[in-house]
Each structure stands twice: as C-alpha cells, then as structure tokens.
Amino acid sequence: LTQQPRGKPDARIGIGMCLYKLGHSNDARRALKRAVDVDATAAAPQILLAVIELNEAKRRFDLRISRDAGDPEKTGQVMEEAGECLRRAMGCLQRAYELQPDNAATLIFLADRLIAKGDIRGAQMLAERALATADTMAIQAEAHFQVARSLHASKKFDQAFDAYTKCLSLNDKHTLGMYGLGQMQLQRTDMSSAEATFQRVLERNPKCVEVLRALGYLHARLPNTKAKALEYYEREMHVLADEAAEHARQTGKSGDHAMAWMDDANLFLEAGLLYEATNARKARKAYLAASIILQRQPGNGDHIPELWNNLGALSQLTGESTESVFSELNAAAEKCARVLGARPKQRTNEVRRLENTQRTIRYNVARFYETCGQWQKAENLYQAIVAETPAYTDARLRLAHIAYFYRANSREALAQISQAIDVDAKRPAPWLMRGNIELQRKNVQEARRAFEHVLKDIAKHDVYALCSLGNFYLAAGKSESVRASSEANASSPVAKKARDMAQQSYKRA
C-alpha cells in the first residue's frame, strides 16, 4: 500500500478483510471506506461494508443479547441501532448493484435480504442471475444455496432438495447447505439420511442448537429412540445455559440468568412430552420452563392451555402443594375460556380442541378432589362430564369407583361399568375394573371371565389382567390344597393344575 497507494486490486480491501477477521471491525470499516474514497467505482468494498453492517445488525437483533431485563427503553434503543446497521448495509448493497448489476456476490446478498423480507420470488430471480454470472465454485455453491432457500420457502421441496445437493457438490463443507439438505431429507421421511447429514453438521459445530434440535425431533419420532432424543434436547439446554453464563460474565451480571436467556418454549414442550413417560418431576420442570417463556411473550401462552393442564396433572403425581395444583388447573381453565370467548361460534377444529381440553381439565380437577378425599365434589364433576359427553368412559369408571368404594353400591358401580363397555367394548379398563369388583364381591368366576375376556379378545399381553388371573389361580390352588389336605390327599391334581396355570400367567406377565 505504501509503494502503490492506488494499485489494483486495492490493498485496502485485503487489509479491511484481515482486520475484520481479527475482530477489529471499526478499523476494517475505516480501511474499506478509504478504498471507496480512492475508487468510487469499486463494488467490492461496498459489498464487504454491507457484510460488516449485516453481521452487526444480526448480532443486535438477537433479543437474547440485546434484551436488558426490566429496561424496555434500552432494548428499544438497541433495536433502533440494529435497524440503522441494516439500512447502512442495504445502502452499500444498492450502490454495489448500481456499479455492477451482474456481480454475483451482490446478487446473492440481495437475495438473502429479500428472503428475510418475504419476497421469495424476487430472491429466487436474483439467486438464479448470480448463478449465471458466478465465476468461482464457492460463489456458485452460495448461489445454489440461495436458490434452494427460495424453493424451500416456497414449499417446492423436491426442487429445493436438488438445489441443496448441487450446492454441496460444489462445496461439500457448506454447513448451511448441509443443514438445509437434512431438513429436506426429514421432509421426505428419509430419517437415516437426515440423521447422517445432521451428524456431519454437528461434527463441525458441536454447539449448534438448531442441529441438536433437529436430531432431537428426529429421534423423538423414531421407535425406541426416545432416550436419544432427550439426550439431544438436554445437550441443547446445556449449550444455552453455557451461553447465558458467558453473557452474564461479559456483562458483569451475577446470579443464574439461564431462564431469562431461553426464548424458545418448544424445546421444553418437546422435552416435557418425552419425560412424561419416564420421569414426572423432569416433565413438570420442563413444562414449567416452557410456561415461564410463554408468559413473557405476546399472548401469554393462552393458545396452549393444555400446558397448564399438564402442569396441574404432573403436580398431583409429584406431590406438589394443593395450592400449586389448583393454581395450574385454574390457569388452564381460564386460558381455555379466554380463547374460546375470543373465537367465532362456528364448530371449527380449534374450537373442538379447546372444548375437549376444558373437559380434560374438569376431569383432572375431579381426580384431584378424589386425592384430597373430597369425593362428593369429584362425583358432581364426573356426573357433569358424562351428562355432557356420555362417551367419556374415564369419568364413568371414576363414578363406578366412587359408587363401590365410597358408597358401597355395587349395583350402581357395575351399571356404570356396563355403560362404559357399551361405549367401547375393546377397551381393557372397564373389564379390569369389573373383574376387580367381582373379586371384592367374592364372585370369583365372574372375575375370572372378565380377566380372561381381556386376554382372549382385547389385549393378550395385558400385564394387569395376567397378574390378576395368576392371583386368581394361585388362590384357587391354595384353597384346593387346604381342602385336599383335610381329605388326606395333599397331592391333589386340581391344586397342581391351578398352581401351574398361575405360574403360566405370571411368566407371560
């Protein structure tokens, strides 16, 4: 630069790029602006200035970084500064386009901005123009990537798949191209290929939360890999917690800021759903985190009252306080009522979903009343549910339970069970309850028939029915042994057969 201050290509451009790579963005700007001053017809420094401003805008637009808890004024200021960076970037790109309308790099950056603005058709046209003028494999790969993104956003998934594949054929290390290809493979339900693609991205970016989420999503929908899905979701949580700790260290904040840093409730909703099958406490913790995130977003989480209903049900399972359970179930009911009140009266699928959720919430409240020993309140709620929805067999079975165990009214209990069977004869639960009640009433043959019906006609591997039938045969064998010993015939074949049948039932269970 000292020897040839106006040499071509301009050394200031190279200096600016080096300074930016070293983290000196202000000095990089100065070098590139000087390159513009020296040659106002050069497009390259304008493009590089645009890149610097775009990256700065992205950094500031990240709400997790810019958000200062309890200071909306400062957040607004940061957003305004980010908008200013974006305007400067677009100004540089516009000047570069005016200077060189067919410059592939300019076209690619403009396509990227149009995708962000939702102008998908315009973005695709610019990306295809860039593809026609690109003179290096790296630029061609980037142009194919922007074409793929446009097609992806237009839901033209087969064409997008081809474009992502072409991008990677030119640059097999294009990380975003790999991620896009993985998404298309998921769309095609080619799970094994999608996993292999996402694993390649993860090898290059072990802390990429988007890839960890994709792998979690993938394994959550494959058989027998739910534990693997939870591993990836937990890894994502750890990465986000580490980011929060690092941000707190840089800003000089003390305390645990992990929850304030999290801004995606879906991560915790997905994890909570998987935890439900194995760990109620972890499921409740995940759902609680999701509720905290949703409550600081527009809408306050009203669109998914099921979350608060699940929290209430899990709080019962984990032995939380009565106040917590009722608070969560009441919140669910209020959200349901609020959303239903704002919906039109037509019977849409959304309205039906919310009405079903309302019934489920009432059922869970009734179950909790039972847990608290307030069975009269529980019975009233169950009766209201079956009056409104006669096919709600769970509520009928709870009424049968109350009738027999609290009111000692076996006739009413068996009548409720019969109605539940009439609604769904292929459901094991009513038959199992009938068997239990008949056993309590000493009608052992009726009980045996109920359990055998489940195993023969409904679910031949039902563990509860197998164990109940085993208990029946074991008791019968003991009774026969006692009778035989009183007759000096301890080796009764009837007793032996009963014990053998009990053993068979236990083994199957």
Side-chain angles (χ1 to χ4, degrees), residues 290-343:
S291 71
I292 291 169
I293 294 169
L294 287 168
Q295 283 175 321
R296 62 174 185 243
Q297 294 176 354
N300 205 31
D302 285 359
H303 61 295
I304 45 172
E306 294 91 341
L307 171 59
W308 279 266
N309 176 55
N310 289 353
L311 273 170
L314 288 166
S315 292
Q316 293 184 54
L317 289 174
T318 55
E320 303 299 321
S321 68
T322 301
E323 291 76 13
S324 293
V325 176
F326 276 122
S327 171
E328 287 155 357
L329 291 174
N330 285 336
E334 288 168 7
K335 289 176 185 297
C336 252
R338 194 154 49 238
V339 177
L340 274 171
R343 290 280 191 278

Coordinates of all heavy atoms in Angstrom, one line a residue, residues 290-343:
A290 N -41.2 -24.0 30.0 CA -42.0 -23.5 28.9 C -43.0 -22.5 29.2 O -43.2 -21.5 28.5 CB -42.7 -24.7 28.2
S291 N -43.7 -22.7 30.4 CA -44.7 -21.7 30.8 C -44.1 -20.3 31.1 O -44.7 -19.3 30.8 CB -45.5 -22.2 32.0 OG -44.7 -22.2 33.2
I292 N -42.9 -20.3 31.7 CA -42.2 -19.1 32.0 C -41.9 -18.3 30.7 O -42.1 -17.1 30.6 CB -40.9 -19.3 32.8 CG1 -41.3 -19.9 34.2 CG2 -40.1 -18.1 33.0 CD1 -40.2 -20.4 35.0
I293 N -41.4 -19.0 29.7 CA -41.0 -18.4 28.5 C -42.3 -17.9 27.8 O -42.3 -16.7 27.3 CB -40.3 -19.4 27.5 CG1 -39.0 -19.8 28.1 CG2 -40.1 -18.8 26.1 CD1 -38.3 -21.0 27.5
L294 N -43.4 -18.7 27.7 CA -44.6 -18.2 27.1 C -45.2 -17.0 27.7 O -45.8 -16.2 27.1 CB -45.6 -19.4 27.0 CG -45.3 -20.5 26.1 CD1 -46.1 -21.7 26.3 CD2 -45.4 -20.1 24.6
Q295 N -45.1 -16.9 29.1 CA -45.8 -15.8 29.8 C -45.1 -14.5 29.6 O -45.7 -13.5 29.9 CB -45.8 -16.2 31.3 CG -46.9 -17.2 31.6 CD -46.9 -17.6 33.1 OE1 -45.9 -17.8 33.7 NE2 -48.1 -17.8 33.6
R296 N -43.9 -14.5 29.0 CA -43.3 -13.2 28.7 C -43.3 -12.9 27.2 O -42.7 -11.9 26.8 CB -41.8 -13.2 29.2 CG -40.9 -14.2 28.6 CD -39.4 -13.9 29.1 NE -38.5 -14.8 28.5 CZ -37.8 -15.7 29.1 NH1 -37.8 -15.8 30.4 NH2 -36.9 -16.4 28.4
Q297 N -44.1 -13.7 26.5 CA -44.3 -13.4 25.1 C -45.7 -13.0 24.8 O -46.6 -13.2 25.7 CB -44.1 -14.7 24.3 CG -42.6 -15.2 24.3 CD -42.4 -16.5 23.6 OE1 -43.3 -17.2 23.2 NE2 -41.1 -16.9 23.5
P298 N -46.0 -12.3 23.7 CA -47.4 -11.9 23.4 C -48.3 -13.0 23.4 O -48.0 -14.1 22.9 CB -47.2 -11.3 21.9 CG -45.8 -10.9 21.8 CD -45.0 -11.9 22.6
G299 N -49.5 -12.8 24.0 CA -50.5 -13.9 24.1 C -50.4 -14.7 25.4 O -51.4 -15.4 25.8
N300 N -49.3 -14.6 26.1 CA -49.2 -15.1 27.5 C -49.4 -16.6 27.5 O -49.8 -17.2 28.5 CB -50.2 -14.4 28.4 CG -49.8 -14.5 29.9 OD1 -48.6 -14.5 30.2 ND2 -50.8 -14.5 30.7
G301 N -49.2 -17.3 26.4 CA -49.4 -18.8 26.3 C -50.9 -19.2 26.3 O -51.1 -20.4 26.5
D302 N -51.8 -18.3 26.0 CA -53.2 -18.7 26.1 C -53.6 -19.7 25.0 O -54.6 -20.4 25.2 CB -54.1 -17.4 25.9 CG -54.1 -16.5 27.1 OD1 -53.5 -16.9 28.1 OD2 -54.8 -15.5 27.1
H303 N -52.8 -19.7 23.9 CA -53.2 -20.6 22.8 C -52.9 -22.1 23.1 O -53.4 -23.0 22.4 CB -52.4 -20.2 21.5 CG -50.9 -20.3 21.7 ND1 -50.2 -19.5 22.6 CD2 -50.0 -21.2 21.1 CE1 -48.9 -19.9 22.5 NE2 -48.7 -20.8 21.6
I304 N -52.2 -22.4 24.2 CA -52.0 -23.8 24.6 C -52.3 -24.0 26.1 O -51.4 -24.2 26.9 CB -50.5 -24.3 24.3 CG1 -49.5 -23.3 24.7 CG2 -50.3 -24.6 22.8 CD1 -48.1 -23.8 24.6
P305 N -53.6 -24.0 26.4 CA -54.0 -24.2 27.8 C -53.6 -25.6 28.2 O -53.5 -25.9 29.5 CB -55.5 -24.0 27.8 CG -55.9 -24.2 26.4 CD -54.7 -23.7 25.5
E306 N -53.4 -26.6 27.3 CA -53.0 -27.9 27.6 C -51.7 -27.9 28.5 O -51.6 -28.8 29.3 CB -52.8 -28.8 26.4 CG -54.0 -29.0 25.5 CD -54.2 -27.9 24.5 OE1 -53.7 -26.8 24.6 OE2 -55.0 -28.2 23.5
L307 N -50.9 -27.0 28.3 CA -49.6 -26.9 29.0 C -49.9 -26.8 30.5 O -49.3 -27.5 31.3 CB -48.7 -25.8 28.5 CG -47.5 -25.4 29.4 CD1 -46.6 -26.6 29.5 CD2 -46.8 -24.2 28.8
W308 N -50.8 -25.9 30.9 CA -51.1 -25.7 32.3 C -51.9 -26.9 32.9 O -51.8 -27.2 34.0 CB -51.8 -24.4 32.5 CG -50.9 -23.2 32.5 CD1 -50.3 -22.6 33.6 CD2 -50.3 -22.5 31.4 NE1 -49.4 -21.6 33.3 CE2 -49.4 -21.6 31.9 CE3 -50.4 -22.7 30.0 CZ2 -48.6 -20.7 31.1 CZ3 -49.7 -21.8 29.2 CH2 -48.8 -20.9 29.8
N309 N -52.7 -27.5 32.0 CA -53.4 -28.7 32.4 C -52.4 -29.8 32.8 O -52.5 -30.5 33.8 CB -54.4 -29.1 31.3 CG -55.1 -30.4 31.7 OD1 -55.7 -30.6 32.7 ND2 -54.9 -31.4 30.8
N310 N -51.4 -30.0 31.9 CA -50.4 -31.0 32.1 C -49.6 -30.7 33.4 O -49.2 -31.6 34.2 CB -49.4 -31.1 30.9 CG -50.0 -31.7 29.7 OD1 -51.2 -32.2 29.8 ND2 -49.4 -31.7 28.6
L311 N -49.3 -29.4 33.6 CA -48.6 -29.0 34.8 C -49.4 -29.4 36.1 O -48.9 -29.9 37.0 CB -48.4 -27.5 34.8 CG -47.1 -27.0 34.2 CD1 -47.1 -25.5 34.1 CD2 -45.8 -27.5 34.9
G312 N -50.7 -29.1 36.0 CA -51.6 -29.5 37.2 C -51.6 -31.0 37.4 O -51.4 -31.5 38.6
A313 N -51.7 -31.8 36.3 CA -51.7 -33.2 36.5 C -50.4 -33.8 37.0 O -50.4 -34.6 37.9 CB -52.0 -33.9 35.1
L314 N -49.3 -33.2 36.5 CA -48.0 -33.7 36.9 C -47.7 -33.2 38.4 O -47.0 -33.9 39.1 CB -46.9 -33.1 36.0 CG -46.8 -33.8 34.6 CD1 -46.0 -33.0 33.7 CD2 -46.3 -35.2 34.7
S315 N -48.2 -32.1 38.8 CA -48.1 -31.6 40.1 C -48.8 -32.6 41.1 O -48.3 -32.8 42.2 CB -48.7 -30.2 40.3 OG -47.9 -29.3 39.6
Q316 N -49.9 -33.2 40.7 CA -50.5 -34.2 41.5 C -49.6 -35.4 41.7 O -49.5 -35.9 42.8 CB -51.9 -34.6 40.9 CG -52.9 -33.6 40.8 CD -54.2 -34.1 40.3 OE1 -54.7 -35.1 40.7 NE2 -54.8 -33.5 39.3
L317 N -49.0 -35.8 40.5 CA -48.2 -37.0 40.6 C -47.0 -36.8 41.4 O -46.5 -37.8 42.0 CB -47.8 -37.4 39.1 CG -48.9 -38.0 38.2 CD1 -48.4 -38.2 36.8 CD2 -49.4 -39.3 38.8
T318 N -46.4 -35.6 41.4 CA -45.2 -35.4 42.1 C -45.4 -34.9 43.5 O -44.4 -34.5 44.2 CB -44.3 -34.4 41.3 OG1 -45.0 -33.2 41.1 CG2 -43.9 -35.0 40.0
G319 N -46.6 -34.8 44.0 CA -46.9 -34.4 45.4 C -46.7 -33.0 45.7 O -46.4 -32.6 46.8
E320 N -47.0 -32.1 44.7 CA -46.8 -30.6 45.0 C -48.0 -30.2 45.9 O -49.0 -31.0 46.1 CB -46.9 -29.9 43.7 CG -45.8 -30.2 42.7 CD -44.4 -30.0 43.2 OE1 -44.2 -29.0 43.9 OE2 -43.5 -30.8 43.0
S321 N -47.9 -29.0 46.3 CA -49.0 -28.5 47.3 C -50.3 -28.4 46.6 O -50.4 -28.2 45.3 CB -48.6 -27.1 47.8 OG -48.6 -26.2 46.8
T322 N -51.4 -28.5 47.4 CA -52.7 -28.3 46.9 C -52.9 -27.0 46.1 O -53.5 -26.9 45.1 CB -53.7 -28.4 48.0 OG1 -53.6 -29.7 48.7 CG2 -55.2 -28.3 47.5
E323 N -52.3 -25.9 46.7 CA -52.4 -24.6 46.1 C -51.8 -24.6 44.7 O -52.4 -24.0 43.7 CB -51.7 -23.6 46.9 CG -52.4 -23.3 48.3 CD -52.1 -24.4 49.3 OE1 -51.2 -25.2 49.1 OE2 -52.8 -24.4 50.3
S324 N -50.6 -25.3 44.5 CA -50.0 -25.3 43.2 C -50.8 -26.0 42.2 O -51.0 -25.5 41.0 CB -48.6 -26.0 43.3 OG -47.7 -25.3 44.0
V325 N -51.4 -27.2 42.6 CA -52.2 -27.9 41.6 C -53.4 -27.1 41.2 O -53.7 -27.0 40.0 CB -52.7 -29.3 42.3 CG1 -53.6 -30.0 41.3 CG2 -51.5 -30.1 42.6
F326 N -54.2 -26.6 42.2 CA -55.4 -25.8 41.8 C -55.0 -24.6 41.0 O -55.7 -24.2 40.1 CB -56.2 -25.5 43.0 CG -57.1 -26.6 43.5 CD1 -57.0 -27.1 44.8 CD2 -58.0 -27.1 42.7 CE1 -57.8 -28.1 45.2 CE2 -58.9 -28.1 43.1 CZ -58.8 -28.6 44.3
S327 N -53.9 -23.9 41.3 CA -53.5 -22.7 40.6 C -53.2 -23.0 39.1 O -53.7 -22.3 38.2 CB -52.2 -22.2 41.2 OG -51.7 -21.1 40.4
E328 N -52.5 -24.2 38.9 CA -52.2 -24.5 37.5 C -53.5 -25.0 36.7 O -53.7 -24.6 35.6 CB -51.1 -25.6 37.5 CG -49.8 -25.1 37.9 CD -48.8 -26.1 38.5 OE1 -49.2 -27.3 38.7 OE2 -47.7 -25.7 38.8
L329 N -54.3 -25.8 37.4 CA -55.5 -26.2 36.7 C -56.5 -25.0 36.5 O -57.2 -24.9 35.4 CB -56.2 -27.3 37.5 CG -55.5 -28.6 37.6 CD1 -56.2 -29.6 38.5 CD2 -55.4 -29.3 36.2
N330 N -56.6 -24.1 37.4 CA -57.4 -22.9 37.2 C -56.9 -22.0 36.1 O -57.6 -21.5 35.3 CB -57.5 -22.1 38.5 CG -58.4 -22.7 39.5 OD1 -59.3 -23.5 39.2 ND2 -58.2 -22.4 40.8
A331 N -55.5 -21.9 36.0 CA -54.9 -21.2 34.9 C -55.3 -21.8 33.6 O -55.6 -21.1 32.6 CB -53.4 -21.1 35.1
A332 N -55.2 -23.1 33.5 CA -55.6 -23.8 32.3 C -57.1 -23.5 31.9 O -57.4 -23.2 30.7 CB -55.4 -25.3 32.4
A333 N -58.0 -23.6 32.9 CA -59.4 -23.4 32.6 C -59.6 -21.9 32.2 O -60.4 -21.7 31.2 CB -60.2 -23.7 33.9
E334 N -58.9 -21.0 32.8 CA -59.1 -19.6 32.4 C -58.6 -19.3 31.0 O -59.3 -18.6 30.3 CB -58.4 -18.7 33.4 CG -59.0 -18.6 34.8 CD -58.1 -18.0 35.8 OE1 -57.0 -17.5 35.5 OE2 -58.5 -18.0 37.0
K335 N -57.5 -19.9 30.7 CA -56.9 -19.7 29.3 C -57.9 -20.3 28.3 O -58.1 -19.7 27.2 CB -55.6 -20.3 29.2 CG -54.5 -19.5 30.0 CD -53.1 -20.2 29.9 CE -52.1 -19.4 30.8 NZ -51.9 -18.1 30.3
C336 N -58.4 -21.5 28.6 CA -59.4 -22.1 27.6 C -60.6 -21.2 27.4 O -61.0 -20.9 26.3 CB -59.9 -23.4 28.2 SG -59.2 -24.8 27.4
A337 N -61.2 -20.7 28.5 CA -62.3 -19.8 28.5 C -62.0 -18.5 27.7 O -62.9 -18.1 26.9 CB -62.9 -19.5 29.9
R338 N -60.9 -18.0 28.0 CA -60.5 -16.7 27.3 C -60.4 -16.9 25.8 O -60.9 -16.1 25.0 CB -59.2 -16.2 27.9 CG -58.8 -14.8 27.6 CD -58.0 -14.1 28.6 NE -56.8 -14.9 29.0 CZ -56.5 -15.3 30.2 NH1 -57.3 -15.0 31.2 NH2 -55.4 -16.0 30.5
V339 N -59.7 -18.0 25.4 CA -59.5 -18.2 24.0 C -60.8 -18.5 23.3 O -61.2 -18.1 22.2 CB -58.5 -19.3 23.7 CG1 -58.3 -19.6 22.2 CG2 -57.1 -18.9 24.3
L340 N -61.7 -19.4 24.0 CA -63.0 -19.8 23.4 C -63.9 -18.5 23.3 O -64.6 -18.4 22.3 CB -63.6 -20.8 24.3 CG -63.3 -22.2 24.0 CD1 -63.9 -23.2 25.1 CD2 -63.8 -22.7 22.6
G341 N -63.8 -17.6 24.2 CA -64.6 -16.4 24.2 C -64.2 -15.5 23.0 O -65.0 -14.8 22.5
A342 N -62.9 -15.6 22.6 CA -62.5 -14.7 21.5 C -62.7 -15.4 20.1 O -62.5 -14.7 19.1 CB -61.0 -14.4 21.7
R343 N -63.1 -16.6 20.1 CA -63.3 -17.4 18.9 C -64.7 -17.2 18.3 O -65.6 -17.0 19.1 CB -63.0 -18.9 19.0 CG -61.5 -19.2 19.3 CD -60.7 -19.2 18.0 NE -59.4 -19.8 18.2 CZ -58.4 -19.1 18.7 NH1 -58.5 -17.9 19.0 NH2 -57.2 -19.7 18.8

